[in-house]
Amino acid sequence: MPLSPLELELVQIIRQEAPSYVENLRRLVEISSFTDDAAGVDRMAQTCLQQLSEAGFDLRLKHISPAGPHLIATRGKGEPRLLLLGHTDTVYPKEHALSGFWRDSFDPGQLRGPGVTDMKGGLVVMMAAARILVERDLLGQGGLSILLCADEETGAPTGRSLLLDEARRHDLCLVFETGSRLGPHQTTFVTERKGSARFSIEIAGVEAHAGAKKEMGLSAAEEAAHKIIALEALNDFERGTTVNVGLVQAGSAANTVPGSAELQVDCRFKSAEAGREVESLIREIATRTHIENRLESTRPVCSVRSLFEPHLPLLATKESRRAAAQLVQCSADLGVELTEEYRGGASDGNTTSEAGCPTVDGLGTVGGKIHSEGEWVEAESLADRTALLAVFAKRFFEGAKS
């Protein structure tokens, strides 16, 4: 369907403002906001708070995270209620080799920097569209909220309860993780994601001198090796269940039998049932002793703990499919082909979906190579995705009147 005169006007405003979106992105990228850098995450939250306050939103900061405050912005209290979801933290420590913000000299259409698309580009899109919607009084009797989580990159251990509470108060949640590029004027968004869980397996052996008293030791590293082989054997690619031993630490010196070891294990699954099954198998492997006990009075001691509350899969529902279809239509009206994508990675959208709030993800900027030195964002997607959100939200709130 063709854009209405008001929608054409919104798009024109957004195109005119596009250079300011790039500058705002620069401002956010130049703030180091690694999850463990509480001061940096707080600075990100304060910067976003200022912009949303100037846009007319009511603001709350929730200081429940050692990573920095979670931010909630609201405007209007009626129905329907739309939740825009993002996060202020990144995976890049201050000392990371990648620093600053720049335009790629080989491809001027790409902007680069730490967190440039995951998800500081998404924050720019959310705040720009939200400001325009409020300025033009397009919320009608509805309500618009923005929730920015401070520790999404570590599984939102402190943000989870807040995500669940806010999701239950809203009719639809849009998540601004990165979209993918398929070709010219062809991008993706996300309608389903795998669930995820992460575990730490700790092994206590017995230290001994590797030369003089090797027989008096029990190697935690040897026990860990058996566990790694057993854990990796749990991968079932046909069912979509994956298990990855990503971090391995053991011992203190080459000439000492390792007295301790730790494994960090990540698993992904397509259903809650598959998640429960693989967790049970991981726990069984974790607590079983594999190496021969050569000492009468001692054996390796193994324990396992969850590093964060498991994320259930983000599954499409009738309501989220309806919203996805409307997003595809809005994008087509704007001249961009939007295609659904299924992803193995989890996001905070898994949690809002678990709360029963219809959730559509991947609506942030279009980019790639996230969590790496090559992270990039397509510059024109800042305006493209802002226009998509503005037009969709306008129609979403208008639909409540009819």
Side-chain angles (χ1 to χ4, degrees):
M1 59 185 288
L3 296 175
S4 70
L6 176 54
E7 290 166 351
L8 287 169
E9 185 179 343
L10 294 178
V11 173
Q12 183 179 16
I13 292 170
I14 290 165
R15 299 298 177 199
Q16 290 172 345
E17 292 183 348
S20 70
Y21 302 161
V22 175
E23 287 309 306
N24 195 22
L25 179 58
R26 177 191 299 277
R27 186 178 304 115
L28 298 183
V29 169
E30 289 179 347
I31 298 173
S32 172
S33 56
F34 179 47
T35 311
D36 289 345
D37 181 359
V41 177
D42 179 73
R43 188 178 166 200
M44 272 291 299
Q46 295 294 338
T47 301
C48 294
L49 182 148
Q50 180 180 351
Q51 293 185 30
L52 290 167
S53 176
E54 292 171 353
F57 281 78
D58 297 321
L59 284 304
R60 287 180 289 151
L61 290 176
K62 292 287 187 178
H63 293 272
I64 57 176
S65 168
H70 306 291
L71 172 62
I72 306 169
T74 58
R75 175 74 181 218
K77 298 181 179 180
E79 301 290 340
R81 297 201 57 79
L82 177 62
L83 175 63
L84 310 182
L85 180 58
H87 61 87
T88 50
D89 63 326
T90 70
V91 300
Y92 298 96
K94 279 185 177 180
E95 65 274 14
H96 195 282
L98 177 64
S99 62
F101 173 90
W102 71 95
R103 191 176 290 271
D104 192 308
S105 57
F106 296 101
D107 184 352
Q110 289 188 6
L111 306 172
R112 296 184 180 271
V116 70
T117 193
D118 183 21
M119 68 173 324
K120 295 184 178 181
L123 299 182
V124 171
V125 167
M126 277 191 283
M127 293 189 293
R131 174 181 52 77
I132 290 170
L133 289 165
V134 171
E135 285 179 352
R136 301 306 300 266
D137 194 23
L138 296 177
L139 305 186
Q141 299 302 311
L144 178 64
S145 301
I146 296 175
L147 171 57
L148 304 183
C149 181
D151 55 4
E152 189 272 349
E153 294 292 3
T154 54
T158 69
R160 177 176 169 80
S161 60
L162 191 60
L163 289 161
L164 291 169
D165 288 345
E166 288 300 315
R168 291 174 182 135
R169 296 190 181 103
H170 290 80
D171 301 296
L172 176 66
C173 176
L174 304 181
V175 188
F176 288 81
E177 295 288 351
T178 302
S180 301
R181 181 181 183 185
L182 297 178
H185 306 294
Q186 295 177 308
T187 63
T188 71
F189 69 128
V190 178
T191 52
E192 293 190 293
R193 289 182 180 271
K194 284 186 180 181
S196 71
R198 197 167 298 164
F199 305 93
S200 171
I201 298 174
E202 297 176 350
I203 304 164
V206 177
E207 284 192 340
H209 191 288
K213 294 290 183 179
K214 171 74 173 178
E215 70 279 4
M216 299 304 295
L218 288 178
S219 172
E222 183 183 352
E223 178 66 30
H226 285 277
K227 285 179 168 31
I228 291 170
I229 293 170
L231 290 164
E232 291 288 348
L234 297 178
N235 281 288
D236 188 339
F237 301 117
E238 288 187 4
R239 290 186 62 195
T241 298
T242 59
V243 176
N244 184 65
V245 183
L247 289 176
V248 180
Q249 296 177 321
S252 58
N255 60 348
T256 300
V257 176
S260 64
E262 181 185 5
L263 309 176
Q264 288 197 13
V265 184
D266 178 277
C267 64
R268 308 294 167 121
F269 40 87
K270 284 189 170 182
S271 68
E273 179 184 4
R276 289 189 293 269
E277 179 181 331
V278 73
E279 178 177 353
S280 176
L281 292 170
I282 288 171
R283 290 185 180 278
E284 193 276 327
I285 291 169
T287 54
R288 183 200 321 150
T289 300
H290 293 261
I291 66 174
E292 178 185 356
N293 182 12
R294 299 184 300 273
L295 307 178
E296 293 183 1
S297 59
T298 308
R299 59 179 295 178
V301 177
C302 307
S303 62
V304 60
R305 59 186 174 88
S306 297
L307 293 178
F308 57 75
E309 190 76 17
H311 296 303
L312 294 181
L314 165 56
L315 301 175
T317 64
K318 182 175 69 174
E319 293 81 8
S320 69
R321 288 197 181 281
R322 183 183 304 118
Q326 292 166 347
L327 283 158
V328 169
Q329 181 63 61
C330 290
S331 189
D333 297 342
L334 290 163
V336 177
E337 181 181 339
L338 191 63
T339 302
E340 293 187 27
E341 181 181 358
Y342 179 93
R343 285 191 188 163
S347 80
D348 283 339
N350 291 63
T351 305
T352 57
S353 174
E354 178 185 342
C357 182
T359 299
V360 183
D361 202 339
L363 293 167
T365 45
V366 176
K369 293 190 177 180
I370 64 172
H371 296 193
S372 77
E373 291 189 12
E375 185 167 338
W376 61 272
V377 65
E378 194 174 80
E380 67 178 11
S381 73
L382 289 162
D384 287 346
R385 290 299 176 106
T386 301
L388 174 59
L389 174 54
V391 171
F392 172 83
K394 168 192 170 288
R395 295 179 182 180
F396 175 80
F397 290 116
E398 280 183 343
K401 302 175 187 176
S402 55

